[in-house]
């Protein structure tokens, strides 16, 4: 029923990125969801078949109970991805990152420090790059997404730098006009990839549930009032997902591979590089670095190794 959940555990962040879809920043809060609420949601998700959760924000490492929530997910046999800006990582947090079953994701913008700072509103390029390199040294699974925000941005050079650092999974995405990212069009289905609600949901710091993190204007319930199972089987959920799929039926038919139709972009995790022609990837959940597997493939639970370039039943092997 649900395979993947975004858990937006905080709206607090050290940065004030001008394109932030969650409008997070230093004045953000952890919301009304308690740690007990989040653990209950993780348990309910595991019961529904969730194999992976992504802790996001804001900056999830600023939540004091992130280590406990990560451990709770792992104990429930649910893999964890932490989407972090890697601006400040304490020794204790590195230990959290290094646990089996945990992987990292981060955003990147440019190889130019001033351009990077113009986007994040803080001098972050050097420290983020250093921590990406350190994660690589520790052998922590890591993916990075370069986001095109500025005209003439050195996105390609940023991708090349990440590849030189040895990051195995580097994607590119355009600005989403959601939150502080609104420019001309504002929030709408044209900002989505067409896979909203396809075995995925997002949960906000207030407990509100959305089909994905970018469809924040489409609440389908609240986990502080209903169980995940009740939300996922509710008339509201079915109506919202049905409306979205109806709207995407025509648009996605125009988005054949190699199409450069404006309706076909942005997509959640395109594998193309800037300036290439590409349609939606149809993959809103993390792209796992074990190989070119379809998003619905199960990932490896704790205690199992993910075999490079393997999909399906041969993907996960017991640890030696």
């Amino acid at each position: 029923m649900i395979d993947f959940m975004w858990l937006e555990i905080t709206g607090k962040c050290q940065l004030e990125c001008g394109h932030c879809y969650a409008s997070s920043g230093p004045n953000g809060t952890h919301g009304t969801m308690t740690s007990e609420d989040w653990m209950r949601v993780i348990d309910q998700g595991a019961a529904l078949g969730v194999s992976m959760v992504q802790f996001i924000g804001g900056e999830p490492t600023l939540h004091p109970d992130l280590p406990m929530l990560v451990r709770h997910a792992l104990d429930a046999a649910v893999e964890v991805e932490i989407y972090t800006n890697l601006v400040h990582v304490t020794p204790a947090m590195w230990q959290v990152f290094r646990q089996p079953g945990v992987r990292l994701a981060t955003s990147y913008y440019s190889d130019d420090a001033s351009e990077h700072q113009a986007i994040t509103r803080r001098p972050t390029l050097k420290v983020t790059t250093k921590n990406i390199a350190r994660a690589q040294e520790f052998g922590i699974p890591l993916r990075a997404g370069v986001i095109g925000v500025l005209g003439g941005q050195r996105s390609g050079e940023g991708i090349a730098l990440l590849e030189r650092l040895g990051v195995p999974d580097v994607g590119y995405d355009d600005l989403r006009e959601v939150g502080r990212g609104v420019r001309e069009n504002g929030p709408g289905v044209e900002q989505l990839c067409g896979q909203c609600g396809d075995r995925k949901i997002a949960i906000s710091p207030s407990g509100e549930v959305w089909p994905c993190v970018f469809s924040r204007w489409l609440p389908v319930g609240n986990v502080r009032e209903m169980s995940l199972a009740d939300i996922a089987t509710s008339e509201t959920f079915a109506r919202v997902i049905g409306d979205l799929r109806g709207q995407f039926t025509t648009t996605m038919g125009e988005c054949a591979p190699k199409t450069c139709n404006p309706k076909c972009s942005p997509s959640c995790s395109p594998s193309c590089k800037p300036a290439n022609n590409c349609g939606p990837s149809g993959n809103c959940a993390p792209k796992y670095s074990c190989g070119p597997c379809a998003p619905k493939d199960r990932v490896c639970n704790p205690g199992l190794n993910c075999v490079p370039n393997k999909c399906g039943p041969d993907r996960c092997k017991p640890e030696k």
Side-chain angles (χ1 to χ4, degrees), residues 108-127 129 150 154 158 161:
Y108 209 75
Y109 304 97
S110 172
D111 67 336
D112 180 82
S114 60
E115 189 171 72
H116 210 276
Q117 181 172 344
I119 295 170
T120 66
R121 312 289 174 84
R122 299 289 188 279
T124 54
L125 178 61
K126 184 176 180 179
V127 66
T129 304
L150 305 175
R154 291 173 60 85
L161 174 56

Side-chain angles (χ1 to χ4, degrees), residues 41-89:
V41 165
I42 291 168
D43 290 340
Q44 291 178 358
L48 292 176
V50 168
S51 61
M52 189 176 205
V53 296
Q54 184 189 78
F55 291 104
I56 57 173
E59 171 51 38
T61 62
L62 295 181
H63 195 292
D65 289 335
L66 176 63
M68 180 179 68
L69 297 176
V70 169
R71 186 70 258 163
H72 190 80
L74 296 176
D75 288 344
V78 175
E79 279 205 300
V80 169
E81 182 170 78
I82 301 171
Y83 206 115
T84 169
N85 56 36
L86 290 174
V87 167
H88 179 66
V89 185

